[in-house]
Amino acid sequence: MSSTTNEKVNMSNNERTPLIATVRVAPPRHRYPHNVVRRFCTIALASSLVALVVIFLLPVALLPGHRHRRPIPPPPPGQSPNAITFKELQSILSETPKAEKAREWSRYYTSGPHLAGKNYSQVLWTQERWEEFGIKTDVVAYDTYLNYPLGHRLALYESQGAEQAEDTASWKVKFEASLKEDVLEEDESTGLENRIPTFHGYSASGNVTAPYVYVNYGTYQDFEDLLKANITLEGKIALVRYGDIFRGLKVKRAGELGMVGAVIFTDPGDDGPISDDDGVGTYPNGPARNPSSVQRGSTQYLSVAPGDPTTPGYPSKPGVPREPVDGKIPNIPSIPISYADAIPILSALNGHGPAAKDFGPYWQQNLGLQYKGVEYNIGPSPDTLLLNLVNEQEYVTTPIWNVIGVINGTLADEVIVIGNHRDAWVVGGAGDPNSGSAALTEVIRSFGVALSKGWKPLRTIVFASWDGEEYGLVGSTEWVEEFLPWLSHANVAYVNVDVATVGPNFHASASPLLNKVMYEVANLVQSPNQTIPGQTVGDLWDGEITTMGSGSDFTAFQDFAGVPSIDLGFGPDPANPGDNAGTIYHYHSNYDSFHWMETFGDPGFHYHATVAKLWGLFTARLAESPVIPLNATDYAVALEQYISDVESKVDATIAGTTTPKDEAEARTRPTPGEPKGDIEALKLAFDKLHEAARKLKKAAQAHDTWAATLSDRAGEDLPWWKWLTKLKLIIRIRRVNVKYKYLERQFLHQEGLDGRSWFKHVVFAPGLWTGYSGAVFPGLTEALDTKDYDNAQRWAGIIEGKLSQAAGSLK
């Protein structure tokens, strides 16, 4: 980063977070450095005032049962002048969210296009609703580098014979792809004139005509299989199906191998038993995928760095320097297509080149178009067939807008942030993201009801409606980069909901610090699926909380800022075809619409309301508990398991054994070269890792036990004359909370991961060659994957140091 860039970053660090008091990040300048008497008097007077505040006001302000007894606006007639209890707050957050209100918000958010940087009226509408509910709200803008579609084409050309191929007049259009989704009479949003064309975010413009090759899922090893089979890839167009890895990495590898374009389609074989081939009706007549459905999406290299690719690590404010985008977004054109458009192009390869069955089991999975006559031959296409791929994109630096709301709490230096993104690739986006947007609106309405009754949280709560998530988590990343000093000082946790519901199966991924709260809250909320009366979400949930990867707005909080984060929602259940539980979700398609949601995704919008209840109660638990309800022991136990899992990979390498899971994972990354270093020496390093983890666990158990004791004492109703007891309790609670607040930050490595320095967390990151799925100890595991055992030993030392640092922070 240049010195000019550093100046811009320093300027942004001094800016004020909207609606929130600034946290000082530099020591104050003394105004009278030589006046000893003045300084003495000032300090003495200030100390006296502080002592008075501490002795008489803090115990009243901060202990449960006392902290709400302060002047508040006169209540309505008949209402108690005292603020509500936590139990009353829970009732409000459980009873206020309504399915019919969530339906109303969903109807609004899905009524028009809202690409990132578009539809400012929706920004204002969101701000106005939040302010109506009593939430102070502001709009925070960033100037970001985005692309918008201008035009596209995909045509299959055929020549009458190889000998005529050089004659351009002999080429005729054999098939012209529609590149659009069918307009459905039942679904009004599919026919809007201002609907968004199919395209890829951050795709390169280009007009290429070339032979094409079917490349399966486009994983690293899929391409390697083709090279080993002497299939020429250079100068060809890749025909690749969605799945296994992030779409941008498919295009990335194709470009690295000299291919000139990529066409990505969804194979219905990946939908399991819910398909047209299995006799299931297609949308809108049934829950199976509509054949014309197209998955849009970003092709940014998300696992390298999210956010604006021209401003990595610093916010995209007006006038900041911009870096080149080379190596961050594709340099070849790509477009998404439906499987209806893919069939003629795939069928034209029948009989040309080897078949998928010649490449082993990973090429034969979920071949869902055989019933349509597709033989899944590889190609290349014969000399008589060429694809013409046209992708015209306009790249601009344009504003995007985050809507930020705040409820200021008693403790300004302990902050809970919750968020959902607002932008979508399509008019609807009823599932992604607007099921979350509707739920967030209900959460805020619920907190507004509590505010109207005189409630004020112990901790500050920040609400965020992010823009630009779909392109590469842009809005949230720029916001975190801008306010990193304040977040590092004050942010206790981030709670994310992206897709709130597209089915009945609850899921969550989180930092283990938050697991305990998630289990508690899941058992407080009734499930809409009442097969047995009284069932809660927790009763029907398998209890699995997965590790954090990427693909949503928690990434900058968890992986860059070291803020413990959670992402939650309800997903589909493909194991149950034939009813709503087995509905196929039309991800990033026009058919992710209000009509689809009302008919198949969440009829009655009951799961929308359920997510709002879970979200609100989770936030309240974090914001209102005198002792922050994190659990360090859960984290330590998880870390022990992560270490054992990585060690088992080392053992398997030494023994020369692999599992099917290992083999599948290996297909996503490059083939390792010759080993570097001594794997036996690396094996010894795990003894130190286990020892460091044991020490952390011991410190975590002691800290959690002490926190539980203080939590019990905080509930005692102490009389005012025991002010010294109160003061000691407050000091101890604050000390415990500070240790909890900063625990996740202990795992940040400021140099970042190898080759992707934006990612700072040594425990969690997205997989380098998968994109979405999470990797644990990414620096260590990536070194193992490349057989660089010297580097792996270096990372083992870094991790050991972070574990010891975390243990020390809890003592």
Side-chain angles (χ1 to χ4, degrees), residues 30 112 114 254 384 439 443 474 558 567 682 734 746 786 811:
H30 296 295
H114 38 104
T384 55
V443 170
V474 180
Q558 181 74 48
D567 181 69
L682 173 62
R734 291 285 282 174
Q746 307 303 319
T786 60
K811 293 179 180 178

Side-chain angles (χ1 to χ4, degrees), residues 456-472:
K456 180 178 181 178
L458 176 61
R459 297 180 181 90
T460 293
I461 303 174
V462 176
F463 306 96
S465 173
W466 309 115
D467 200 358
E469 188 270 357
E470 293 292 4
Y471 278 83

Side-chain angles (χ1 to χ4, degrees), residues 106-121:
S106 176
R107 169 63 86 177
Y108 170 75
Y109 277 115
T110 59
S111 62
H114 38 104
L115 271 175
K118 303 286 187 179
N119 200 339
Y120 189 70
S121 64

